[in-house]
Amino acid sequence: MAGKGAKVVQKKQKITMGLLWKQRYLLMMSLPFVIWIIIFKYIPLWGWTMAFQEVKPATFAIPIWERPFVGFENFIKAFEDRLFQQTMINTIGISILQIAVGTVVAIAFAVLLNELVFSGFKKVTQTISYLPHFVSWVIIASIAKNIFNDGGVMDSLAGTNLHLMSTNSPLIWLVIVLIECWKEMGWSAIIYLSSMAGIDPGLYEAAQIDGANRFQKIWHITLPGIRPTIVVLLIMSIGGALNVGMERQMLLSNALVQDHTMVLSWFSYMRGIKSSDYGLGTALGVFQSVVGVALLLIANKIASMVGEDKLV
Amino acid sequence: MKNLHKTWFDYFLVVVFAFILVITLYPFLNVLAISLNDATDTLKNINFIFPRKFTLTNYKYVFEEGGILQPLFISIAKTVIGTLAGVICTAMLAYTLSRRDFVFHKLFTMIFVITMYVGGGLIPEYLLIVRTLHLGNNFLVYIIPGLIWVYNMILVRSFIDGLPIALQEAAKLDGANDFQIWYIVIMPLCTPVIATIALYYAVGQWNSFMDTYLYAKKLPTLQYKLYEIMSQATMQLDTHTTTNATQAVTPMAIRMAVTVVATVPIIIVYPFVQKYFVGGMTLGSVKD
């Protein structure tokens, strides 16, 4: 894997003062960043202990080892919270919808783009399809308001008020997922397209000689050819099923639909930072991470059971 | 696979993709048209992509009274400084970790790579930044916590790995120290990868919103300003209908003008960016 110029890995060196002095410039160029990453990435990991302690603004100043230890009380409090159940339903509902619709749309886009023979048009289409990916969620939310709000473009096309963003029901999940698809379709197709580029052209030629038509070639060559990619991406997205980002949810939400847009990360923020119950908020974060790892392992296991390559 | 003979399906696909292009572009054109349209005229119907009554009043209002000059300045400062600092630090670190003879090469690489897979989560990070380090409402909160993206560091490192080692050895024989080798020999050769990560950092900085929302509401960026305008509008149920007709600008027109101002830099940059982004994305995982 290492490039052509990389040195042959040397035998294990002994760390001596002389060697450290010789490499002082390398040390000076890297040590500050190691300290930086320990502060900003490793100390927060240590913060996981707060999930098992009672931590409120008043007790935050107390050293970690002296804070009251409460066992799993924060977790119990979180699970018994009146919003918890609905939050979990929303998180899982949006995730499943997102994985299903997002995957199908991206694959369809990639397959059809791959079939497009007008190369100039293909390039323009692909470039334009990336545009929404680079635009921030705040801007997307502002644009989405024009389209989906009462009196917006959709209502104007339908000639009636569809209440797309003002119905307190899981309809908002669909709206959010459609916006996400619109934003990421072209971008998430890239990985499938590059996977298609790796399919042996000989297969298509052989199919041509055997008299296969376009659809048969897509069904029997292209889709099976990208199956490993699809499986890996599915396993990863199932592993991240609870990590529905707070930013998008918050920006696309409004007071009317908030019951159905609240997701785990946002809930953790509300309880942890807005209500200043740091222990409870951290417990929710820990729950999210632990379930995420469990889901990843389960998805991986299922994939290997049905005869697919494993991810880990 | 591709034969020259075109079938109905080929033309059908053109229609499909033309439709996709319309769906992709229409919302952007709609925003642009509303921002350039007379605000009271917009109230009648917002479904258009050519201004019906062209005016620049909305922009004039936004820049003169709308209070976006400060957010615009903060956004630009954050993008420029964050990108510069990010690129320099990333490149420096990547060089030291590309040196297989560096005593801590393995240890330091591991310390960085682990953080790509595990993180402390929102609350502990918030407490560290706001309560322990007191970086809340400090400009540094935009620069320091997100200084280096490990993924970018790996991109640069694998690029350096591909450079001929002889150049470094020659410089060493000439008496250059490790810092000089990095600065004089390596950096000029890294221009393509530096351009790539600079664009990554710049787009990330320009678009970021949560950093302001969580840590620095008193230093609003353009993205945050737009969010504020939106949440005010929501309170009045997005006034297309309730504003009095004597007012020259409406919350909606202001929102559209600010949206355009926040989008334009991205639209200008992204066609150049995307080829680098795509390259980086398909580069795949880099192992030692």
Side-chain angles (χ1 to χ4, degrees):
Chain A
M1 193 66 212
K4 52 188 174 214
K7 266 188 189 168
V8 181
V9 178
Q10 298 179 345
K11 283 189 194 123
K12 194 156 177 74
Q13 305 176 32
K14 270 211 192 98
I15 301 173
T16 59
M17 287 312 281
L19 189 60
L20 288 179
W21 178 249
K22 215 177 116 204
Q23 299 191 337
R24 64 190 181 279
Y25 285 101
L26 290 177
L27 263 177
M28 285 191 295
M29 288 162 72
S30 57
L31 203 55
F33 306 119
V34 173
I35 294 167
W36 167 82
I37 203 158
I38 287 171
I39 293 174
F40 285 97
K41 300 288 164 182
Y42 285 89
I43 289 179
L45 271 182
W46 178 248
W48 274 34
T49 50
M50 288 192 298
F52 305 96
Q53 295 172 326
E54 192 190 280
V55 196
K56 301 240 163 110
T59 55
F60 182 73
I62 304 174
I64 284 183
W65 52 91
E66 283 174 19
R67 283 180 199 149
F69 179 80
V70 295
F72 285 89
E73 212 171 276
N74 283 322
F75 290 89
I76 295 166
K77 213 159 98 188
F79 301 150
E80 285 174 349
D81 195 292
R82 70 190 166 81
L83 286 180
F84 182 77
Q85 201 187 352
Q86 185 61 44
T87 302
M88 283 303 283
I89 293 173
N90 296 341
T91 311
I92 295 167
I94 292 172
S95 265
I96 292 176
L97 204 59
Q98 166 96 59
I99 293 169
V101 180
T103 307
V104 170
V105 167
I107 293 172
F109 184 87
V111 167
L112 293 180
L113 196 71
N114 197 42
E115 293 293 319
L116 202 58
V117 289
F118 305 92
S119 59
F121 181 65
K122 185 173 174 175
K123 216 167 173 184
V124 171
T125 308
Q126 206 173 2
T127 302
I128 291 178
S129 75
Y130 299 149
L131 170 61
H133 169 81
F134 290 99
V135 173
S136 74
W137 269 113
V138 183
I139 292 169
I140 298 288
S142 176
I143 294 173
K145 268 178 196 293
N146 293 1
I147 310 290
F148 293 107
N149 258 20
D150 296 355
V153 170
M154 291 302 260
D155 282 359
S156 152
L157 288 176
T160 165
N161 194 340
L162 298 167
H163 294 291
L164 289 168
M165 276 182 131
S166 56
T167 313
N168 193 11
S169 78
L171 177 67
I172 189 74
W173 300 354
L174 190 65
V175 175
I176 290 175
V177 167
L178 285 180
I179 295 169
E180 172 81 36
C181 277
W182 174 80
K183 187 176 190 302
E184 299 299 332
M185 174 175 63
W187 189 252
S188 36
I190 294 175
I191 194 131
Y192 296 112
L193 283 165
S194 72
S195 171
M196 282 172 203
I199 298 175
D200 177 12
L203 292 173
Y204 291 103
E205 281 157 25
Q208 182 78 32
I209 293 164
D210 288 347
N213 64 31
R214 296 275 280 274
F215 306 101
Q216 287 168 327
K217 280 190 231 167
I218 292 174
W219 189 254
H220 293 289
I221 300 172
T222 311
L223 288 177
I226 61 170
R227 197 165 75 172
T229 310
I230 298 175
V231 172
V232 168
L233 292 182
L234 270 181
I235 294 175
M236 293 205 304
S237 54
I238 290 170
L242 292 191
N243 309 342
V244 179
M246 157 184 175
E247 181 177 2
R248 179 191 74 189
Q249 292 301 117
M250 198 173 78
L251 291 168
L252 293 179
S253 184
N254 59 58
L256 293 173
V257 295
Q258 200 169 3
D259 291 349
H260 291 92
T261 51
M262 180 62 70
V263 291
L264 212 48
S265 55
W266 191 7
F267 185 54
S268 157
Y269 166 81
M270 294 278 274
R271 291 289 179 264
I273 294 173
K274 275 257 166 93
S275 323
S276 296
D277 193 338
Y278 303 147
L280 181 58
T282 310
L284 284 161
V286 170
F287 170 73
Q288 187 180 328
S289 304
V290 171
V291 176
V293 172
L295 284 176
L296 188 69
L297 294 176
I298 293 169
N300 197 42
K301 187 86 193 161
I302 292 173
S304 71
M305 266 160 44
V306 297
E308 293 293 345
D309 286 339
K310 287 216 279 188
L311 177 66
V312 269
Chain B
M1 169 198 172
K2 303 275 193 301
N3 42 7
L4 292 169
H5 179 72
K6 294 189 178 65
T7 62
W8 64 269
F9 188 65
D10 291 312
Y11 296 101
F12 172 71
L13 282 180
V14 172
V15 176
V16 170
F17 280 102
F19 180 68
I20 292 176
L21 287 188
V22 170
I23 292 180
T24 308
L25 290 177
Y26 188 94
F28 289 102
L29 295 174
N30 178 242
V31 169
L32 184 64
I34 297 175
S35 75
L36 291 170
N37 196 49
D38 180 69
T40 34
D41 178 72
T42 304
L43 299 179
K44 287 183 232 156
N45 183 338
I46 71 159
N47 187 9
F48 58 93
I49 56 170
F50 297 105
R52 289 185 298 235
K53 269 178 152 181
F54 182 85
T55 173
L56 288 174
T57 325
N58 303 326
Y59 286 98
K60 211 169 152 237
Y61 178 85
V62 158
F63 279 101
E64 283 173 0
E65 299 167 57
I68 72 156
L69 286 179
Q70 191 213 9
L72 186 63
F73 176 74
I74 293 175
S75 275
I76 293 171
K78 161 180 189 286
T79 305
V80 171
I81 298 171
T83 305
L84 273 178
V87 164
I88 292 170
C89 296
T90 307
M92 208 188 280
L93 178 69
Y95 171 64
T96 65
L97 298 186
S98 78
R99 287 276 299 261
R100 300 298 189 272
D101 58 328
F102 180 33
V103 265
F104 297 122
H105 154 254
K106 276 234 162 73
L107 176 70
F108 284 4
T109 305
M110 203 177 69
I111 288 176
F112 279 91
V113 170
I114 285 175
T115 63
M116 294 173 84
Y117 301 99
V118 288
L122 180 66
I123 314 285
E125 277 178 23
Y126 174 88
L127 293 175
L128 172 77
I129 289 170
V130 175
R131 297 289 307 252
T132 309
L133 299 174
H134 300 287
L135 284 175
N137 291 320
N138 183 326
F139 185 75
L140 289 176
V141 84
Y142 288 137
I143 311 297
I144 294 179
L147 184 66
I148 294 176
W149 299 359
V150 178
Y151 179 77
N152 284 355
M153 190 274 288
I154 292 175
L155 279 185
V156 180
R157 202 195 68 172
S158 58
F159 188 89
I160 297 176
D161 281 344
L163 298 172
I165 197 87
L167 293 169
Q168 293 191 40
E169 279 162 0
K172 203 167 248 172
L173 287 177
D174 289 344
N177 66 39
D178 290 325
F179 180 79
Q180 288 166 328
I181 294 176
W182 169 70
Y183 186 70
I184 299 166
V185 180
I186 301 293
M187 280 301 269
L189 294 171
C190 283
T191 321
V193 76
I194 294 294
T196 310
I197 65 161
L199 293 166
Y200 267 104
Y201 282 126
V203 172
Q205 281 283 3
W206 181 262
N207 279 344
S208 73
F209 159 75
M210 287 308 279
D211 48 3
T212 318
Y213 183 78
L214 291 172
Y215 307 124
K217 285 185 180 156
K218 286 182 190 152
L219 294 172
T221 55
L222 206 52
Q223 308 286 339
Y224 186 74
K225 182 75 188 170
L226 180 55
Y227 164 76
E228 268 189 347
I229 293 171
M230 270 198 296
S231 42
Q232 282 158 10
T234 315
M235 270 173 239
Q236 304 158 23
L237 275 178
D238 213 18
T239 38
H240 321 130
T241 45
T242 57
T243 325
N244 62 39
T246 53
Q247 225 177 322
V249 287
T250 59
M252 171 163 224
I254 296 171
R255 178 162 68 82
M256 291 298 98
V258 177
T259 305
V260 171
V261 174
T263 315
V264 162
I266 294 289
I267 293 190
I268 293 172
V269 173
Y270 105 92
F272 305 99
V273 184
Q274 54 110 354
K275 80 170 184 218
Y276 293 116
F277 271 82
V278 174
M281 196 167 134
T282 46
L283 187 82
S285 66
V286 182
K287 288 186 184 129
D288 186 13

